Every structure is written in C-alpha cells, then in structure tokens.
C-alpha cells in the first residue's frame, strides 16, 4: 500500500506535514489527526474524536486510508504499511 524502503522508521514529521490538509478538515468536524511511527517501517495515523465531534462526518475507514496513503505517496513519504485507527463507537 505504501512505498517500501529500507528505512527503519518513517519520517513522522514529513508525514504530518503532508497530511496537514486532512488535519484541517478533520478539525472543523471536531477531530484531531495524530501521526506516529508504529512497527518497523509502519506509519500510524489515529483519528481522535473531540467532545463535539460529528460522528456522521467521517468517511468510511478504508476509503480514508486510501486517500491518506495516496497523499503520503505523492509527497514522497516512505513507509511500509499505513495503520489507520478510527475512534471507537
């Protein structure tokens, strides 16, 4: 799904920067987007619901994962796997 490289950890700062347009949109609906390194080469993106989050505003998880992966790839962010964590509920 992502770009496979020999890097042990993806560049979290570059990934967060590349996903800034998504962060802004999610914030308008009461969500935060948090990026972190997971297992070797994996990138984790967690969508965190705020107290006033619009539950109906999130698109289906697999669709959003595809959009995030595409954006990261087009911005040259290397990762072996993208893990997307949606809010429970």
């Amino acid at each position: 799904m992502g770009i496979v490289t020999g890097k042990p950890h993806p560049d979290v700062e570059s990934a967060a920067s590349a996903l800034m347009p998504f962060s802004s949109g999610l914030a308008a609906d009461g969500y935060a987007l948090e990026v972190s390194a997971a297992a070797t080469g994996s990138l984790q993106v967690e969508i965190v619901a705020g107290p006033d989050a619009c539950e109906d505003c999130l698109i289906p998880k697999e669709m959003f994962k595809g959009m995030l992966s595409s954006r990261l790839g087009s911005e040259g962010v290397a990762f072996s796997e993208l893990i997307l964590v949606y809010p429970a509920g």
Side-chain angles (χ1 to χ4, degrees):
M1 281 223 186
I3 300 167
V4 180
T5 70
K7 283 187 168 183
H9 298 290
D11 183 346
V12 174
E13 189 174 311
S14 293
S17 178
L19 298 178
M20 189 58 69
F22 294 104
S23 295
S24 301
L26 286 165
D29 292 327
Y31 294 94
L33 184 147
E34 298 178 359
V35 181
S36 60
T40 301
S42 297
L43 191 65
Q44 178 170 304
V45 176
E46 183 172 2
I47 308 304
V48 180
D52 298 321
C54 170
E55 289 184 34
D56 294 331
C57 295
L58 285 178
I59 63 173
K61 184 177 178 179
E62 287 306 311
M63 181 184 293
F64 195 43
K65 184 176 180 178
M67 293 169 64
L68 295 173
S69 182
S70 178
R71 173 70 182 188
L72 290 166
S74 71
E75 293 294 314
V77 177
F79 59 96
S80 60
E81 179 185 15
L82 178 63
I83 301 164
L84 177 60
V85 179
Y86 256 31

